[in-house]
Amino acid sequence: MKAKRIDRIATGVIYVMVGLVVLILIGLLGFILATGLTHVSWRFLTSSAAAFSAGGGIGDQLFNSFYLLVLTLILSLPIALGAAIYLNEYAPQNKITEIMRIMIEVLSSLPSVVVGLFGFLLFVVQFQLGFSILSGAIALTLFNLPLLTRSIENALAGVPDLQREAGLALGISRWHTITKVILPAALPGILTGVILSAGRVFGEAAALIFTAGQSAPSLNYADWNPLSSTSPLNIFRPAETLAVHIWKINTEGIMPDASQVSAGASAVLIIVILIFNFSARRLGNWVYRRITASR
């Protein structure tokens, strides 16, 4: 009876702690959304920011955030996929691969401000790329690469060895087994990891303050020449993202409605990240059902 009583008490304490964490999270999200959604409108989402007058929006910052996210995934996904395939399928289990995995874990825990300062010194100053989308995308690639590699490797490791052995038993080469059997089976986990990392990249601010810059020049969305200074596709222009815009408003914003713009932008940022997180699980489950023909 004493052991059962202790078990019930420990279980109750765990439930209370989990409930407190959930309540704090719900309260925080609810406060941000309740104070910010009242200021969100179509004009707010599409108009340009105003530095000195009221009524500005977040259209350019929202575009910059998605543009940087796409470029970061284009740069980081092939590298992370190749590294994960090598570590899980080809690399021998020895001290060298163990050290490589430890290094990946260490890099994934680096503070984003350290990555931003490294990107500033290397890309902005040394390579003379300046404060630009390209500098920010490369810095975010370094920031995102360890986590993405680890998540893809875990997805590949979750595929049963029987599927590898079945492919090799049929006379298929290891590479064809990986591309035709292992990767399709691991696709739900890979998609989940990619979308979750996308949410992390979308909300990043510290690394972009020192690389992509804190200014958002006026953009002409009818100009699709990537070499034009007003083109939204120009990767050599500075780009203030949504997260950086929120930080800048709260630190040095002088417009009359700075608090309202900050609240609305924060609500939009939270909603986008929530969409990333919820869609990751739903998309992964949908792909899994399609592949396995299960309900």
Side-chain angles (χ1 to χ4, degrees), residues 150-168:
R150 194 61 178 161
S151 63
I152 295 177
E153 184 185 0
N154 289 335
L156 295 174
V159 179
D161 289 335
L162 287 175
Q163 297 195 30
R164 295 177 176 85
E165 296 170 359
L168 296 175

Side-chain angles (χ1 to χ4, degrees), residues 8 41 44 47 54 81 85 135 159 217 225 240 258 268 274:
R8 287 196 296 268
S41 62
F44 180 76
S47 61
L81 184 61
I85 290 175
S135 299
V159 179
N225 180 13
E240 181 186 52
V268 173
L274 287 176

Side-chain angles (χ1 to χ4, degrees), residues 262-274:
S262 175
S266 301
V268 173
L269 182 64
I270 289 294
I271 290 173
V272 174
I273 294 177
L274 287 176

Side-chain angles (χ1 to χ4, degrees), residues 90-155:
Y90 289 99
Q93 301 300 320
N94 52 31
K95 290 185 177 180
I96 296 178
T97 55
E98 184 179 350
I99 292 174
M100 291 174 62
R101 288 189 172 91
I102 293 174
M103 292 175 63
I104 291 174
E105 293 290 345
V106 172
L107 289 174
S108 64
S109 61
L110 279 179
S112 58
V113 66
V114 175
V115 179
L117 289 172
F118 174 78
F120 171 75
L121 293 174
L122 186 61
F123 308 123
V124 177
V125 178
Q126 187 66 30
F127 292 165
Q128 298 182 358
L129 295 177
F131 291 106
S132 62
I133 290 178
L134 182 59
S135 299
I138 299 175
L140 287 180
T141 298
L142 298 178
F143 175 73
N144 187 47
L145 199 56
L147 179 64
L148 191 57
T149 301
R150 194 61 178 161
S151 63
I152 295 177
E153 184 185 0
N154 289 335

Side-chain angles (χ1 to χ4, degrees), residues 188-199:
I190 293 174
L191 286 176
T192 300
V194 170
I195 297 175
L196 290 177
S197 67

Side-chain angles (χ1 to χ4, degrees), residues 31-32 34-40 44 50 53-56 58 245-246 248-267:
F31 174 77
I32 294 175
T35 56
L37 284 179
T38 55
H39 307 291
V40 177
F44 180 76
S53 59
I58 57 171
H245 187 58
I246 296 171
K248 187 176 179 180
I249 289 176
N250 285 281
T251 54
E252 54 187 60
I254 58 175
M255 66 280 291
D257 58 345
S259 59
Q260 289 87 349
V261 174
S262 175
S266 301

